[in-house]
């Protein structure tokens, strides 16, 4: 790979597993960086990335909490967390924290608290951590997907819980996940610079300019409409216009593309995982397919934010792929209702948690394996992992499952089990936000509000 | 909404439960929130209905870190001025129907669209308050581009969409303005303003005259711009003070055209409705009623009840479980295929369609009429047909499976993968058919009380704790007895007389009326005093796109009386609702 310094907005061409080439914006090439790989040649810092990785139905604390606390060799992974061995150096397990907001609605109040810090009463009231991170990680840049790429594996809801969402821009404004890897692949493939005939066009596709012309008219129409609306509807319309603006950014990116080399791979899921299972089903192959795509999007700076909903709050989906009965993980295992009886249900529940962690590991390992700057993508990211409850049977908010993966460009520690009994879960998102540059002086509201973080998480 | 709050603190195991537990589990018709189903959320503060959540749980006004919401969500509906939604996002059904009605029934509409959510069990209620995500906006753009590409793939195709097709940007016989105005009136549900015309005609001209452009391409993109504008993607219904109505805020004629088309056709209005609006015919109740009657005669009117029951009977994908992929353990239910739930859903739509436009709608609850193809016939114990296809069949007298609660769709969608759930089935009846509000389980409910039962207990025995333990009984009494009346049907709806080898006792009492099996339960349900008013209230809520409030009590009472007097004619109820003052005036609007 050439060590010559490249212009910052030069676009890269990469190889896809199927052999199709792709051109993407904003490279992470060695040639772009300063001498020790820690910043752009022009002096700007490398971007950090943030993601939320969510699994429903909680944990069994004795199975989850590692026996010893400390850093490095002082602690080892608990049975539930064993699958994360390869990424242990980047992993922080925080145990003992409690959700302080009242649990007025099981599987809804707790995840809303863990993700937003706010009480939820009827519905989520505040932006989730990934949306608060977005402006921080995007600062000074215009990635094509600034508010993130949001994916989901299971599309079976938890009926009356937090519904099929973990990312919220505000009240009534969620980012629903995409469940079909083929759709996400198609979206990312747009940046390939390939015409339908397979040949690379000489210049940008003229349709891009036409689409922009249409969107300009749409914005003009929206401005007229906006003047007639009340305040709350104006907010909703503004949210819509945010989407329009993002499309225009994407179009501009596509128009500016020029092919160069990259170190990221865009994997075509239909070729790499032909038998991954129906859209919305929980399978390891679907998880891998989604992880491949998310990691590609992060590595090529198409986005710096993601949310990965392995299963939603109180997900009623089946973990048959984990070898469990084709039943609802929530009822039959989480609440031990399996007709076969309690001990089997508990063992099955543990199996399910280990299965979720195995899939989390796949995502994190893929991040670790992508060179990024002087290190890898996981070095430069922060991934917040949580669930909709602690002990699933009792809907407990104590000893809440919280993991932090990634070193966030050297600001976060790794390889640590930190146990702080009784403290507020909100401190973790607050710490992460601060580490990523937030100037907020508090996080959360009511009993969920904190004004201090957990220094032990920081490097 | 009146709730008596219970101040009793209940202990379950070693866990104390606060008095956040409901409230009296009293059913109240038209009570505006059911915290147990769907997301049950309130929208941005101060807009739309504010759900008080299951127990009036204290949500203070939200302070967000992003665009600040206005006002204070006070979580108590029915007090004073009520905010009314003005911007109704099109549901996927409305969007799809509109695209087909505007661009042709063969126009492709990709399935990759922002999923609907439900609020208080209805997509339309959520649509009044939600914001579309950036990915959702991108998906709309892609969908509209695909559909318009199809519609303008040739001059002939374009002629099916536009009243006339300009041959060039300067065609005098058929100008850009003329062609786009006529189309725009239908898409935007109102005449285009001069600014609209300029805006979209200039898109057409710029693109037709731009690199690689031509007139068809110009028209295609102009139409795409119209369809991507918020004026199409949301129904804009603001209302204005009406001098002829003593200054009350009223929806204007075109807003009424939009509302009628949404209610009756789940789509955009056509030229007849828009012409009626232009003539001022939709400014009185009689005028609206006359127009609605005409619209009811259109085949598109069959969409109205299908759309309504998609939510009401839990068949829409946004309703909690994706019914089409409801999980059943193949070890226990080998006959649960990919096609059986589709057949069940199809059947339910057919049953509803069969009663919604003729006769007594509530006969749905104990009718011997079913619709089956061969796969469903097998489940229902009916004979196979030589040539497969849906046919109407009438069960003989004394059949144990009658009415809605005997339908595969209801029985299976409210069941678990390995066994029945009388609680889920009972909750469906309580909330969807009788408008009772069932509080959610207490947050610290300890379900291990159920662990000590022998594995071969019947489902009924397993649920004894729900009724013996006073902490559980107060709410479960609203659900379990009815659900247990359905135990003769397993979790995929197949009839059985034993459960784990033990005989099933499906007798019970529904609010003082005894029943001995599903069939008699259906009749008890049909005759229940809540049944008719609840149906009225649910349809009203769905059409208004907001939860019912105290101010709606008089109109709901009138509508219920009319519904009873007509012999429960659902189509007449639909007409009564859309021609009512409540549907034509904006009540207590605050912006």
């Amino acid at each position: 790979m050439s060590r010559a310094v490249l212009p910052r907005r030069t676009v890269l061409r990469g190889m896809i597993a199927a052999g199709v080439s792709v051109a993407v914006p904003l490279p992470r090439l060695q040639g772009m960086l300063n001498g020790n790989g820690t910043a752009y040649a022009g002096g700007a810092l490398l971007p950090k990335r943030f993601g939320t990785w969510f699994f429903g139905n909680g944990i069994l604390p004795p199975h989850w909490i590692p026996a010893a606390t400390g850093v490095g060799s002082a602690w080892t992974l608990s049975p539930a967390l064993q699958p994360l061995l390869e990424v242990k150096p980047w992993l922080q397990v925080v145990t003992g924290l409690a959700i302080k907001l009242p649990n007025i609605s099981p599987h809804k109040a707790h995840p809303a608290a863990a993700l937003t810090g706010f009480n939820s009463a009827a519905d989520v009231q505040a932006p989730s951590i990934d949306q608060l991170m977005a402006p921080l990680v995007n600062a000074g840049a215009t990635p094509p997907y600034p508010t993130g790429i949001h994916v989901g594996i299971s599309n079976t809801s938890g009926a009356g819980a937090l519904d099929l969402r973990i990312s919220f821009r505000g009240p009534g404004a969620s980012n629903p996940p995409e469940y079909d890897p083929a759709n996400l692949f198609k979206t990312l493939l747009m940046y390939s610079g390939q015409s339908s005939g397979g040949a690379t066009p000489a210049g940008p596709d003229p349709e891009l300019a036409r689409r922009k012309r249409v969107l300009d008219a749409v914005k003009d129409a929206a401005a007229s409409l906006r003047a007639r609306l009340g305040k709350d509807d104006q907010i909703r319309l503004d949210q819509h216009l945010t989407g329009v603006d993002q499309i225009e950014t994407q179009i501009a990116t596509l128009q500016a593309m020029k092919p160069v080399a990259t170190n990221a791979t865009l994997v075509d899921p239909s070729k790499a995982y032909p038998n991954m299972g129906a859209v919305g089903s929980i399978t390891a192959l679907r998880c891998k397919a989604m992880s491949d795509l998310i990691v590609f999007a992060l590595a090529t700076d198409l986005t710096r934010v993601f949310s990965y909903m392995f299963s939603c709050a109180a997900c009623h989906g089946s973990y048959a792929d984990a070898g469990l009965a084709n039943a609802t993980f929530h009822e039959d295992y989480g609440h031990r209702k399996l007709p076969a009886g309690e001990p089997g249900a508990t063992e099955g529940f543990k199996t399910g948690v280990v299965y979720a962690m195995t899939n989390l590991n796949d995502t994190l390992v893929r991040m670790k394996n992508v060179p990024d700057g002087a290190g890898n993508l996981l070095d430069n990211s922060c991934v917040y992992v949580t669930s909709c409850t602690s002990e699933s049977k009792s809907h407990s908010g104590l000893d809440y499952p919280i993991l932090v993966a990634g070193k966030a460009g050297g600001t976060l520690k790794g390889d640590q089990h930190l146990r702080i009994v009784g403290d507020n879960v909100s401190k973790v998102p607050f710490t992460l936000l601060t580490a990523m540059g937030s100037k907020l002086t508090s996080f959360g509201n009511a009993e969920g509000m904190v004004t201090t973080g957990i220094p032990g998480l920081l490097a | 909404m009146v709730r008596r709050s219970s101040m009793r603190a209940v202990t379950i195991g070693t866990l104390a439960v606060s008095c956040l537990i409901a409230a009296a589990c009293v059913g109240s018709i038209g009570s505006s929130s059911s915290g147990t189903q769907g997301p049950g959320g309130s929208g941005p503060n101060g807009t739309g209905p504010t759900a008080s959540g299951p127990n009036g749980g204290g949500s203070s006004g939200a302070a967000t870190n992003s665009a600040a919401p206005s006002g204070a969500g006070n979580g108590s509906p029915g007090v004073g001025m009520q905010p009314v939604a003005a911007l109704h996002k099109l549901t996927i059904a409305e969007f799809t129907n509109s695209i087909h009605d505007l661009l042709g029934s063969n126009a492709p509409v990709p399935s990759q669209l922002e999923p609907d959510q439900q609020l208080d069990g209805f997509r339309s209620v959520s649509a009044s308050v939600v914001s579309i995500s950036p990915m959702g906006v991108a998906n709309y753009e892609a969908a509209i581009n695909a559909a318009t590409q199809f519609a303008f793939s040739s001059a002939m195709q374009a002629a099916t969409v536009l009243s006339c097709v300009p041959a060039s940007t300067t065609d005098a016989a058929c100008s850009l303005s003329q062609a786009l105005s006529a189309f725009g009136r239908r898409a935007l549900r109102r005449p285009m303003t001069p600014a609209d015309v300029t805006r979209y005609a200039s898109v057409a001209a710029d693109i037709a005259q731009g690199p690689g452009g031509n007139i068809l391409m110009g028209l295609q993109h102009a139409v795409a711009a119209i369809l991507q504008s918020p004026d199409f993607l949301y129904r804009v219904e603001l209302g204005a003070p009406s001098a002829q109505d003593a200054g009350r805020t009223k929806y204007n004629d075109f807003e009424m055209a939009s509302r009628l088309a949404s209610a009756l056709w789940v789509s955009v209005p056509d030229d007849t409705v828009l012409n009626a609006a232009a003539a001022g015919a939709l400014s009185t109740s009689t005028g609206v009623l006359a127009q609605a009657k005409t619209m009811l005669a259109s085949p598109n009117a069959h969409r109205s009840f299908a759309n309504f029951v998609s939510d009401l009977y839990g068949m829409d994908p946004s309703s909690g479980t994706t019914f089409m992929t409801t999980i059943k353990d193949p070890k226990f239910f080998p006959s649960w295929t990919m096609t059986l739930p589709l057949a069940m859903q199809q059947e339910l739509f057919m049953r509803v369609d069969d009663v919604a436009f003729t006769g007594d709608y509530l006969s749905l609850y104990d009718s011997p009429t079913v619709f089956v193809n061969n796969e469903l016939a097998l489940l229902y114990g009916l004979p196979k047909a030589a040539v497969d296809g849906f046919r109407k069949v009438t069960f003989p007298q004394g059949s144990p499976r009658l009415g809605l609660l005997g339908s595969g769709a209801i029985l299976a969608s409210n069941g678990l993968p390995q066994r029945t759930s009388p609680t889920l089935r009972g909750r469906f009846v309580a909330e969807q058919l009788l408008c009772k509000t069932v509080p959610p389980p207490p947050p610290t409910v300890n379900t291990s009380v159920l662990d000590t039962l022998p594995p071969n207990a019947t489902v009924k025995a397993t649920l004894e704790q729900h009724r013996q333990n006073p902490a559980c009984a107060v709410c479960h009494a609203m659900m379990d007895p009815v659900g247990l009346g359905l135990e003769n049907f397993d979790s995929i709806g197949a009839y059985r007389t034993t459960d784990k080898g033990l005989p099933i006792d499906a007798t019970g009492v529904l609010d003082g009326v005894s029943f001995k099996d599903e069939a008699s339960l259906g009749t008890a349900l049909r005759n229940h005093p809540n049944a008719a008013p609840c149906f009225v209230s649910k349809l009203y809520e769905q059409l208004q796109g907001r939860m019912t409030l105290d101010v709606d009590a008089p109109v709901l009472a009138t509508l219920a009386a009319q519904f009873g007097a007509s012999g429960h004619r659902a189509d007449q109820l639909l007409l009564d609702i859309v021609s009512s003052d409540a549907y034509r005036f904006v009540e207590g609007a605050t912006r």
Side-chain angles (χ1 to χ4, degrees):
Chain A
M1 216 176 311
S2 162
R3 285 273 166 188
V5 175
L6 304 167
R8 278 195 62 206
R9 305 270 329 173
T10 308
V11 166
L12 317 177
R13 178 186 295 285
M15 294 306 294
I16 306 177
V20 183
S21 42
V22 65
V24 292
L26 291 187
R28 295 275 79 77
L29 275 189
Q30 304 290 35
M32 301 260 314
L33 306 171
N34 63 14
N36 48 16
T38 53
Y40 285 117
L45 291 174
L46 288 176
K48 298 177 190 166
R49 280 65 141 220
F50 179 83
T52 302
W53 204 101
F54 188 93
F55 66 104
N57 294 306
I59 57 167
L60 189 57
H63 179 239
W64 177 269
I65 302 168
T69 57
V71 177
S73 54
W75 73 290
T76 55
L77 294 164
S78 62
L81 300 172
Q82 267 303 313
L84 298 161
L85 188 56
E86 192 177 344
V87 294
K88 183 173 180 283
W90 289 264
L91 184 67
Q92 301 195 75
V93 184
V94 190
T95 64
L97 297 179
I99 301 275
K100 301 295 191 182
L101 286 163
N103 189 10
I104 51 177
S105 187
H107 295 284
K108 181 185 216 161
H110 281 166
L115 294 167
T116 72
F118 274 64
N119 52 14
S120 57
D123 200 8
V124 170
Q125 298 199 60
S128 52
I129 181 177
D130 61 306
Q131 296 300 296
L132 294 172
M133 286 286 186
L136 302 173
V137 297
N138 292 336
T142 47
Y145 297 89
T147 49
I149 293 183
H150 304 278
V151 299
I153 304 299
S154 171
N155 66 2
T156 307
S157 87
L162 201 58
D163 210 32
L164 289 158
R165 310 156 299 169
I166 57 169
S167 174
F168 304 89
R169 301 182 317 282
S174 63
N175 292 310
E178 170 63 67
Y179 300 103
D180 191 348
N183 287 339
L184 182 53
F185 174 72
K186 210 170 58 162
T187 300
L188 300 179
L189 192 61
M190 274 197 311
Y191 298 86
S192 74
Q194 286 211 312
S195 70
S196 54
T200 314
D205 182 354
E207 183 59 23
L208 292 170
R210 296 183 202 121
R211 285 170 59 201
K212 167 107 179 33
R213 179 65 184 84
V214 166
L215 293 171
D216 285 345
V218 169
K219 293 202 309 195
D220 184 57
S224 284
L225 172 59
R226 192 180 191 283
R228 302 162 57 206
L229 298 175
K231 240 179 322 171
D232 292 306
D233 286 331
Q234 287 183 336
I235 292 172
R236 296 168 67 204
L237 189 62
D238 289 342
Q239 292 275 2
H240 188 121
L241 290 170
T242 299
V244 176
D245 284 338
Q246 289 194 17
I247 302 175
E248 294 202 325
T249 303
Q250 288 148 22
I251 287 173
T253 304
L254 291 165
Q255 286 175 317
M257 289 199 320
K258 271 168 43 178
V260 185
T262 186
N263 53 7
T265 309
L266 179 58
V267 177
D268 181 345
S270 67
K271 297 192 167 57
Y273 312 102
N275 299 312
M276 71 175 107
V279 174
S281 64
I282 306 177
T283 69
L285 294 181
R286 279 179 43 73
C287 292
K288 289 184 207 295
M290 279 305 192
S291 296
D292 286 336
L293 297 169
I294 285 284
V295 167
F296 178 81
L298 295 171
T300 51
D301 219 24
L302 284 165
T303 192
R304 298 179 183 177
V305 175
F306 72 93
S307 73
Y308 190 116
M309 190 180 80
F310 169 77
S311 58
C312 76
C315 173
H316 279 58
S318 158
Y319 281 31
D321 190 53
L324 299 180
N326 195 5
T328 73
F329 191 69
H330 173 82
E331 293 283 349
D332 296 282
Y333 292 97
H335 285 294
R336 318 289 196 264
K337 303 282 194 60
L338 197 66
E342 161 77 4
T346 302
E347 287 314 301
F349 180 77
K350 292 182 194 170
T351 299
V353 175
V354 169
Y355 173 74
M357 292 301 103
T358 305
N359 289 304
L360 169 62
N361 183 61
D362 274 345
T363 308
L364 298 175
V365 165
R366 277 164 168 72
M367 292 175 75
K368 173 181 83 73
N369 288 342
V370 174
D372 194 73
N376 62 56
L377 187 57
L378 193 53
D379 288 331
N380 293 324
S381 300
C382 171
V383 182
Y384 178 59
V385 182
T386 189
S387 184
C388 56
T389 188
S390 173
E391 209 280 326
S392 56
K393 256 173 57 169
S394 61
H395 298 140
S396 169
L398 306 175
D399 242 322
Y400 211 76
I402 304 281
L403 302 176
V404 176
K407 305 260 183 87
T411 54
L412 293 175
K413 206 175 274 178
D415 206 349
Q416 171 170 225
H417 171 210
L418 199 52
R419 184 164 178 73
I420 312 168
V421 177
D423 214 340
N424 196 326
V425 164
S426 293
K427 286 194 175 179
V428 176
F430 183 62
T431 308
L432 300 181
L433 284 162
T434 313
M436 299 286 255
S438 170
K439 300 287 180 272
L440 287 174
T441 52
S442 72
F443 177 82
N445 82 334
E447 299 95 327
M449 180 186 280
V450 297
T451 52
T452 56
I454 301 172
L457 285 169
L458 305 173
Chain B
M1 164 180 65
V2 176
R3 288 189 187 279
R4 299 194 304 268
S5 64
S6 161
M7 297 303 289
R8 159 181 72 161
V10 178
T11 309
I12 296 179
T14 57
L15 302 164
V17 182
S18 76
C19 51
L20 278 174
I21 301 177
C25 300
V26 285
S28 47
I29 303 293
S31 63
S32 61
S33 100
S34 157
T36 50
Q37 60 193 78
S42 70
N45 295 314
T47 324
T50 46
S52 63
N55 306 305
S59 122
S60 53
T64 71
N65 296 317
S66 64
S70 60
N74 60 13
S76 53
V79 177
M81 300 287 268
Q82 294 305 321
V84 173
L87 202 63
H88 303 263
K89 185 198 83 148
L90 295 185
T91 59
I92 290 178
E94 278 181 285
F95 175 83
T96 307
N97 289 337
S98 301
I99 293 293
H100 284 150
D101 289 346
L102 290 167
L103 300 181
S105 51
N106 290 330
V109 180
S111 57
Q112 189 188 353
L113 293 171
E114 180 104 321
D116 294 320
Q117 292 166 30
Q118 284 181 332
L119 184 54
D120 202 35
F122 292 107
R123 285 162 293 137
S124 61
V125 177
S126 168
S128 298
V129 297
V130 289
S131 303
I132 302 179
S133 75
M135 189 54 89
V137 176
N139 286 341
Y140 273 133
E141 195 224 4
I144 288 164
N145 285 346
T148 51
Q149 262 180 9
F150 166 85
F152 291 89
S153 52
S154 68
M156 211 165 64
Q157 194 67 44
T160 66
V161 171
L162 300 178
S163 56
C164 66
V165 184
S168 73
T169 58
T170 50
D171 187 338
C174 171
S175 67
L176 286 177
S177 302
Q178 190 186 339
L180 293 174
S181 292
F183 178 85
R185 191 178 78 140
R186 289 200 55 203
L188 305 183
R189 312 169 197 91
R190 57 159 175 79
M192 296 229 280
T193 63
D196 287 330
V197 176
T198 305
R199 178 187 309 124
Y200 299 117
S202 65
V203 171
D206 287 355
I207 286 178
Q209 290 154 355
N214 57 57
I215 185 64
L216 274 186
M217 189 183 288
L219 292 166
Q220 174 205 327
H221 285 77
V223 167
I226 292 171
L227 296 174
Q228 287 181 59
S229 73
D231 301 279
F232 168 70
L233 292 173
Y234 302 82
R235 288 184 356 245
V236 182
E237 295 164 6
L238 303 172
S242 163
Q244 75 189 100
D245 297 283
R248 287 168 72 193
T249 306
K250 189 167 89 171
Y251 293 115
N252 68 35
D253 284 81
F254 287 99
E255 288 169 335
M256 279 312 299
S258 169
R259 288 167 73 68
L260 286 177
S262 173
L264 288 154
W265 291 346
V266 194
S267 187
V268 287
D270 69 2
D271 281 319
T272 9
V273 186
L274 291 164
N275 291 342
L282 302 182
S283 56
T284 61
S285 177
T286 20
V288 168
L289 180 61
Q291 187 59 43
K293 274 193 179 140
T294 310
M295 295 170 79
L296 197 63
S298 158
N300 284 347
H302 290 266
R303 294 170 178 164
S304 61
F305 285 103
N307 188 47
F308 172 57
V309 299
S310 279
D311 286 321
L312 191 66
Y313 300 154
M315 294 192 290
D316 187 85
S318 59
S319 65
T321 52
T322 43
F323 175 64
M324 289 305 104
T325 57
T326 298
I327 298 162
K328 301 294 177 188
D329 192 329
K331 272 199 331 286
F332 292 81
F333 304 110
S335 57
W336 184 256
T337 61
M338 297 290 281
T339 49
L340 186 54
L342 288 168
M344 289 178 173
Q345 187 190 59
Q346 173 73 357
E347 189 215 359
L348 193 46
F349 281 130
M350 293 174 94
R351 288 202 208 184
V352 168
D353 199 64
D354 195 42
V355 297
F357 299 93
T358 53
D360 184 341
Y361 185 89
L362 296 184
S363 68
L364 188 69
Y365 294 168
D366 64 357
S367 165
T369 302
V370 298
F371 293 82
V372 293
N373 62 3
N374 281 349
E375 190 175 17
L376 196 52
L378 188 60
L379 185 81
Y380 286 0
L382 291 168
K384 209 166 115 156
V387 178
D388 200 2
F390 272 94
R391 58 250 180 210
K392 186 172 183 171
V393 176
T394 304
F395 277 126
Q397 276 287 8
S399 171
R401 180 199 296 270
L402 297 180
L404 182 65
L405 300 185
S407 71
I410 299 302
L411 292 166
S413 63
N414 293 293
L416 298 174
Q418 298 182 339
R419 60 167 174 82
T420 58
S421 172
T423 304
L424 280 178
R425 289 173 173 174
R427 191 180 85 174
F428 167 79
V429 172
E431 293 192 330
Q432 302 303 90
L433 305 183
L434 297 176
C435 291
K436 297 181 181 180
T437 303
V438 181
T444 42
V445 64
N446 187 344
T447 55
S448 62
V449 292
L450 302 174
D451 294 343
T452 52
L453 295 166
N456 281 338
T458 60
V459 170
K460 182 163 187 169
T462 308
L463 297 184
E464 264 312 306
Q465 277 293 319
H466 281 176
R467 286 180 302 291
Q468 284 177 5
N469 187 330
C472 311
V474 78
C475 298
H476 275 274
M478 296 172 73
M479 301 179 280
D480 292 15
V482 166
L484 288 167
L486 302 173
E487 273 294 281
N488 282 117
F489 300 93
D490 69 15
S491 193
I492 65 167
Y495 184 71
R496 60 180 184 177
T497 49
T498 62
D499 176 15
K500 301 244 178 56
L502 300 164
I504 287 170
D505 169 17
T507 61
V509 180
L510 171 60
D511 291 334
V513 176
S514 300
F515 56 86
K516 62 175 169 60
D517 58 5
E518 186 275 325
S520 49
L521 169 59
T523 300
L525 178 63
R526 178 179 182 172
N527 296 328
H528 192 291
N530 284 17
C534 181
F535 184 78
V536 170
S537 172
K538 292 284 189 187
L539 184 60
Y540 180 86
E541 173 174 357
Q542 192 259 330
L543 294 177
Q544 287 281 40
R546 61 167 175 77
M547 287 184 260
T548 59
L549 308 162
D550 284 0
V551 295
D552 293 312
V555 66
L556 288 173
T558 305
L559 290 167
Q562 289 169 326
F563 188 53
S566 72
H568 305 133
R569 283 291 296 262
D571 54 347
Q572 185 59 45
L573 173 62
L574 183 53
L575 293 176
D576 290 339
I577 291 173
V578 301
S579 59
S580 70
D581 274 16
Y583 200 70
R584 300 188 306 115
F585 289 87
V586 181
E587 295 297 337
T590 58
R591 296 272 183 269

